[in-house]
Amino acid sequence: MTMDRIGPPIESLTHRLLDTPPDFLDEPRIGHSGQVYATAVVNDLLLRHGSRADAAALARFRSNDARADRNRLLLVSVTAWLLADDWFVTAALPQDALLRVLDEAVAELAAATPADRFVKDPDRREELARVVLARLGHRPEGETLAQATDRLSGISGTERRRLIEASRAAEQRARAIREALAKKAAEESADKWTRE
Amino acid sequence: MIDEAIERENYPTLTDAGRDVLQRLREHPAAPAYRNQSGNRLLAADLPGLREFERETLAASVGWPAGRQPDWLPAFVQEVFSDVPWYRALGPPPQRFEDVPAIGRGDLAADIARFVPDSLPLDRLINFRTTGTTGQPLLIASHPVVAARYLALHKRALRRFGVELTHGRGQVGVVLLGHQRECFTYVSVTPLMDESGLAKINLHPDDWRNLDDRARYLDAMAPEVFAGDPISFAELLELPLTTRPKALICVSMALSTGLRALLEARFGCPVLDVYSLNEVGPVGVYDPAAGGHVLLQPRLYVEVLDAEGRALAPGQRGEIAVTGGFNFCLPLLRYRTGDFGALAHRADAPVIVGLAGRQPIRFRTRGGQWLNNIDVSHALRELPFSRYSVHQQADGSLVLRVPPGERAHAAAAVAALKALLGDPPVTAESLTGDGKCIQYTSDLAGAAA
């Protein structure tokens, strides 16, 4: 990931995330529930950037599976809000680069962190802002390449390590639950006055 | 005598009085073969909390205003999204409850561990295994305290019919009846009822030295309550019992009006038809005066959903989904039960009207009109079958299957089906197997309602 070009000050992006309108965290449309159509949000963003996406390019922002996609589509909306900032619009970014950020980078970030934390938590706001800038080939204004690289890996690395540890702990606990359940023979459990 | 270690594990609070009840249940000359060991597993420290749960359950109002949701719901959703791995992976909790994705049995079966809260200590985790009507096996995470909480819900249901439980020390509180070739059988005591006895027995002849022992034993034990299902209760009707329980509690399968009437007349007591699920425990009790199953749990929110997971208005039939409940090992949000019905709001509590298991099946009349299986249930409900199945073949003819011992009522059932469906050919056959059966099936395209 190169960050050769100079972007906006990081604070302007984190402030924008802090000011994310609540509507962007409304429920994403999945199947027949939710109000926010992520496809429409992305389409509006691309129009603001002067481009137009075909249906195939937007397919990734449509879903019928809340378990797999809900958090990701929430973060798509938040990231679209960030990318609608004037700086990004005037930067004349290619459509495929924008779509890649909304698809791949968002999926990675949403895999283990609730989307609202990228609005409410200062570290996660900075992480999202830095990741988006970096994936578009930019670094924050006022930072050298080394500084930007260092800060991105610092803030993302700490979070990734925390997530890896949390994931390991979660897997250990799931295994412990399965073992605890398996240990008890089928009905040798405890008294109920009726049995279903 | 049983091994002391087993006794300590199964009945940690057992006193000499409780030990005497266990001995009487096991060693009565007419006792059946008890094949297994189990118990209440309750610690002394569990009992005050259980008494408080019972007090609250009996005193609380059940339900929520029509068109609104219970006050406790938002905090419960927040807690589940924070503490349960499966929900945490969905991201932040939705602002509207209706946007919480509904889940089903398949989600629990895929990995039950993901539905157990992080904050739950695992040292006393137990399981209940269920296959349901779909045959899909499922282990339900539970806890001795959760199992013991059932009693409070039963008391609430019994109170509706004027029954207060009083059996305590030296008496038998409940006998759970099975009638199947293989059945888990054991004895226990109920600490919350001053160690009244509990026996889970099998009425199947293989479990008894002498068939006459069944009535002798049950008369001698004189339980305050019999619990069972329509199959075991149909067998109970055949025994020359003189004991008079205060109530019969029927769970697991639909109880026909006819069998209920026979049982009430025979035992002179209320027969409660309780809608209960391993996943959430007793949900409702059937009350003819209320026109359906009256909800029992103060902290269980019941919705009726369409196929897309959208909540339906009162009066509309759909799949029953539950949220909340008293099983702190398995807090559920919008869990689709696989059972169908409609909600109605009555003065004292919401009611599930027209409860039926499984996806509805439509039957085609000879005139080409489709009728819901509920109509078939209504047509046959006065007949005292313990269970039956109706299958419509591709040519529109019907096959009625009833237990061999209940063939005497088959002619009446055939006549009722012919009257309902415009006189199609109906064949009566014997229903084999001793477990649950899929009640309604069809070969006709378009039969899935």
Side-chain angles (χ1 to χ4, degrees), chain B residues 48-175:
Chain B
L50 280 166
R51 290 196 182 95
E52 179 62 16
F53 177 82
E54 180 176 310
R55 195 191 60 73
E56 287 175 1
T57 299
L58 292 176
S61 62
V62 169
W64 52 91
R68 286 174 45 200
Q69 290 161 346
D71 293 341
W72 52 266
L73 199 59
F76 181 71
V77 172
Q78 289 280 343
E79 184 188 320
V80 171
F81 267 75
S82 156
D83 202 22
V84 177
W86 195 92
Y87 283 100
R88 206 166 41 238
L90 291 178
Q95 292 164 30
R96 297 184 332 142
F97 178 74
E98 294 81 351
D99 290 324
V100 174
I103 61 165
R105 191 181 177 86
D107 295 301
L108 299 188
D111 188 1
I112 191 77
R114 307 258 306 150
F115 289 90
V116 176
D118 284 344
S119 57
L120 183 79
L122 302 183
D123 52 335
R124 295 179 68 200
L125 204 61
I126 58 173
N127 76 62
F128 288 98
R129 186 184 297 269
T130 164
T131 51
T133 47
T134 61
Q136 185 178 33
L138 178 60
L139 277 186
I140 299 297
S142 190
H143 188 282
V145 166
V146 173
R149 285 179 171 182
Y150 272 56
L151 180 57
L153 279 310
H154 292 134
K155 285 186 176 180
R156 186 177 174 109
L158 288 162
R159 186 174 277 186
R160 188 171 188 90
F161 296 90
V163 176
E164 297 283 341
L165 297 180
T166 57
H167 276 203
R169 181 168 297 231
Q171 297 172 295
V172 174
V174 62
V175 171

Side-chain angles (χ1 to χ4, degrees), chain A:
Chain A
M1 183 186 325
T2 60
M3 292 188 280
D4 299 333
R5 286 165 285 172
I6 306 297
I10 193 71
E11 295 77 15
S12 70
L13 300 184
T14 54
H15 282 151
R16 182 172 175 87
L17 284 171
L18 183 61
D19 293 337
T20 303
D23 297 358
F24 281 77
L25 282 169
D26 277 351
E27 200 59 26
R29 184 74 174 180
I30 295 177
H32 292 272
S33 79
Q35 307 90 52
V36 178
Y37 289 82
T39 47
V41 171
V42 173
N43 198 45
D44 287 351
L45 174 75
L46 296 178
L47 285 174
R48 184 164 160 74
H49 280 256
S51 67
R52 188 180 291 273
D54 59 26
L58 296 176
R60 179 78 174 120
F61 308 107
R62 219 176 269 124
S63 172
N64 287 313
D65 185 348
R67 186 182 178 191
D69 296 319
R70 178 175 177 268
N71 197 46
R72 180 177 67 82
L73 294 181
L74 274 169
L75 191 54
V76 164
S77 288
V78 172
T79 308
W81 163 253
L82 179 66
L83 288 168
D85 183 81
D86 286 344
W87 184 89
F88 288 109
V89 174
T90 53
L93 300 162
Q95 178 184 294
D96 63 340
L98 289 170
L99 285 172
R100 238 188 343 266
V101 166
L102 290 165
D103 180 353
E104 295 165 12
V106 164
E108 289 164 27
L109 291 170
T113 305
D116 61 337
R117 289 190 61 207
F118 292 100
V119 174
K120 296 171 181 165
D121 179 323
D123 285 348
R124 299 287 67 76
R125 285 198 295 271
E126 185 176 344
E127 182 184 17
L128 178 58
R130 286 187 179 278
V131 166
V132 167
L133 264 189
R135 295 290 175 100
L136 293 169
H138 292 75
R139 62 178 185 271
E141 184 186 277
E143 293 182 11
T144 64
L145 185 56
Q147 284 171 330
T149 306
D150 193 40
R151 287 182 190 168
L152 176 60
S153 64
I155 199 155
S156 278
T158 306
E159 179 66 356
R160 294 285 85 73
R161 276 192 297 279
R162 186 190 69 74
L163 291 174
I164 288 167
E165 278 165 27
S167 164
R168 193 178 297 135
E171 194 38 56
Q172 276 174 359
R173 180 170 168 85
R175 200 178 311 123
I177 292 169
R178 288 181 212 114
E179 285 169 5
L181 287 174
K183 205 166 66 182
K184 310 287 180 189
E187 290 188 78
E188 291 183 24
S189 37
D191 298 348
K192 296 196 283 194
W193 265 47
T194 55
R195 288 295 180 108
E196 295 90 351

Side-chain angles (χ1 to χ4, degrees), chain B residues 98-414:
Chain B
E98 294 81 351
D99 290 324
V100 174
I103 61 165
R105 191 181 177 86
D107 295 301
L108 299 188
D111 188 1
I112 191 77
R114 307 258 306 150
F115 289 90
V116 176
D118 284 344
S119 57
L120 183 79
L122 302 183
D123 52 335
R124 295 179 68 200
L125 204 61
I126 58 173
N127 76 62
F128 288 98
R129 186 184 297 269
T130 164
T131 51
T133 47
T134 61
Q136 185 178 33
L138 178 60
L139 277 186
I140 299 297
S142 190
H143 188 282
V145 166
V146 173
R149 285 179 171 182
Y150 272 56
L151 180 57
L153 279 310
H154 292 134
K155 285 186 176 180
R156 186 177 174 109
L158 288 162
R159 186 174 277 186
R160 188 171 188 90
F161 296 90
V163 176
E164 297 283 341
L165 297 180
T166 57
H167 276 203
R169 181 168 297 231
Q171 297 172 295
V172 174
V174 62
V175 171
L176 292 87
L177 303 169
H179 185 237
Q180 52 208 69
R181 266 192 294 279
E182 281 184 34
C183 184
F184 189 93
T185 57
Y186 73 100
V187 296
S188 184
V189 294
T190 304
L192 290 170
M193 297 297 289
D194 202 14
E195 295 191 310
S196 69
L198 175 153
K200 187 166 182 298
I201 69 169
N202 187 6
L203 293 177
H204 194 279
D206 289 355
D207 273 34
W208 302 82
R209 281 182 289 268
N210 182 327
L211 277 185
D212 296 339
D213 282 350
R214 298 184 297 179
R216 282 179 57 212
Y217 183 72
L218 292 175
D219 278 339
M221 296 303 117
E224 194 168 24
V225 169
F226 282 116
D229 58 34
I231 299 172
S232 58
F233 280 143
E235 187 67 15
L236 192 71
L237 275 175
E238 303 298 316
L239 306 183
L241 291 176
T242 57
T243 187
R244 284 291 172 267
K246 271 192 192 160
L248 272 56
I249 302 178
C250 183
V251 293
S252 299
M253 297 158 63
L255 176 66
S256 68
T257 309
L259 182 56
R260 173 210 282 268
L262 281 181
L263 289 164
E264 283 174 345
R266 173 77 172 74
F267 293 103
C269 69
V271 178
L272 276 63
D273 176 6
V274 173
Y275 171 42
S276 192
L277 302 162
N278 265 302
E279 295 88 321
V280 288
V283 174
V285 61
Y286 184 76
D287 183 345
H293 287 77
V294 181
L295 299 190
L296 291 169
Q297 295 189 33
R299 279 179 64 96
L300 186 74
Y301 180 48
V302 175
E303 297 174 280
V304 172
L305 305 181
D306 69 10
E308 311 296 344
R310 289 174 293 217
L312 295 170
Q316 290 186 278
R317 281 189 71 77
E319 187 171 358
I320 295 160
V322 292
T323 294
F326 60 83
N327 183 355
F328 48 80
C329 304
L330 194 64
L332 295 173
L333 296 177
R334 310 191 88 205
Y335 174 68
R336 306 183 79 123
T337 61
D339 301 315
F340 290 75
L343 263 186
H345 286 270
R346 304 282 189 254
D348 59 339
V351 170
I352 299 171
V353 179
L355 174 69
R358 296 181 64 88
Q359 176 73 30
I361 290 290
R362 299 190 301 177
F363 289 90
R364 199 175 65 195
T365 66
R366 281 195 108 175
Q369 184 193 359
W370 288 103
L371 294 181
N372 192 298
N373 59 254
I374 299 290
D375 296 313
V376 177
S377 298
H378 283 167
L380 302 182
R381 70 181 170 186
E382 299 300 331
L383 299 168
F385 292 122
S386 60
R387 61 202 169 116
Y388 64 83
S389 72
V390 179
H391 176 73
Q392 187 159 36
Q393 306 193 97
D395 61 2
S397 63
L398 297 164
V399 179
L400 166 75
R401 293 187 177 89
V402 300
E406 298 169 13
R407 287 293 292 264
H409 305 289
V414 167

Side-chain angles (χ1 to χ4, degrees), chain B residues 8-24:
Chain B
R8 270 198 305 277
E9 186 183 349
N10 287 329
Y11 327 104
T13 60
L14 194 68
T15 68
D16 286 344
R19 205 169 279 112
D20 289 346
V21 171
L22 290 179
Q23 188 173 355
R24 189 156 66 88

